[in-house]
Amino acid sequence: MTDGAVGTRAAIMEATFEALSKHGYADLTIQTIADEFEKSKSLLYYHYETKDALLGDFLEFVLDEFEAEVGADEDEDPESRLWGVVRLLLPPDLTDDEEARRLRTALFELRMQAPYDEGYADRFAATDERLVATFEAILAEGVETGAFDVDPGTGAELLLDAVMGATLRAITTGIDGRTSLEPVEALVESFRA
């Protein structure tokens, strides 16, 4: 991809995020995205034929950004890396960080479309597989170093479920991120050797 194409994609993704967080999935249209996009609506259609194609790419974009952040701390010990990933998914200041809250709300709105749209279901299944694989690799390393005593596969699945549940609870009830992290902390504590 050329630098111009990369810049255009990033601008489209930002416009998509802004429109999705302002209007929600139900009221999201190419026009609401275009209203947030500094360039022309025709440029959106040049890159994406449908709203669903654009949202599919948006999911991939967000996941790629997340994976880049996860890989940044590979020199840390397994427990620190584990908490780094958990805090990327569920920041302790979720109720205070409006952008973090809006992003998680937008992603959960898209996730709620998965039962009705096979494309979304496939994308979220792939996302969850990547997250589980990330947790599993960290837990396996922790088992090797003696930091954790847990089956890495089972622990990874439980951890993702706990983080997803805590995130959903935080964005739908307004419970503060610190409180929503407590059950996740208890789960990680149970993994310790």
Side-chain angles (χ1 to χ4, degrees):
M1 223 181 241
T2 65
D3 286 344
V6 170
T8 298
R9 180 179 185 231
I12 292 171
M13 296 300 104
E14 180 63 29
T16 302
F17 168 69
E18 290 298 327
L20 186 59
S21 63
K22 284 181 183 177
H23 302 283
Y25 178 84
D27 294 327
L28 186 70
T29 64
I30 292 290
Q31 185 59 55
T32 58
I33 296 168
D35 291 345
E36 300 296 331
F37 188 51
E38 294 179 4
K39 300 178 183 176
S40 71
K41 182 177 176 181
S42 62
L43 187 57
L44 285 175
Y45 279 112
Y46 174 78
H47 290 283
Y48 302 98
E49 290 183 21
T50 65
K51 174 179 88 169
D52 286 339
L54 195 158
L55 289 175
D57 194 36
F58 175 73
L59 288 174
E60 289 300 318
F61 182 82
V62 170
L63 182 60
D64 290 345
E65 293 287 313
F66 169 78
E67 287 180 345
E69 287 188 49
V70 167
D73 296 328
E74 289 184 0
D75 292 337
E76 292 185 342
D77 64 275
E79 188 167 354
S80 296
R81 284 182 49 225
L82 184 68
W83 280 113
V85 175
V86 168
R87 287 190 178 98
L88 282 173
L89 292 170
L90 179 62
D93 60 350
L94 186 58
T95 51
D96 297 329
D97 185 340
E98 186 59 31
E99 185 170 339
R101 182 180 182 78
R102 287 175 40 214
L103 176 60
R104 273 117 188 122
T105 301
L107 290 173
F108 269 102
E109 270 199 284
L110 292 176
R111 186 177 281 271
M112 293 302 102
Q113 302 310 308
Y116 312 105
D117 185 306
E118 190 174 326
Y120 287 144
D122 291 344
R123 284 184 181 95
F124 278 108
T127 299
D128 289 353
E129 286 175 20
R130 289 173 169 176
L131 292 171
V132 167
T134 298
F135 281 137
E136 188 171 359
I138 294 169
L139 290 173
E141 182 182 338
V143 168
E144 282 181 24
T145 63
F148 298 125
D149 181 20
V150 63
D151 174 72
T154 302
E157 293 282 351
L158 285 170
L159 193 51
L160 180 61
D161 289 347
V163 169
M164 297 295 275
T167 303
L168 179 61
R169 190 168 166 223
I171 63 175
T172 59
T173 67
I175 189 172
D176 77 0
R178 181 75 232 135
T179 301
S180 62
L181 265 174
E182 289 172 3
V184 177
E185 289 172 342
L187 180 62
V188 172
E189 182 65 32
S190 76
F191 294 167
R192 287 199 177 105

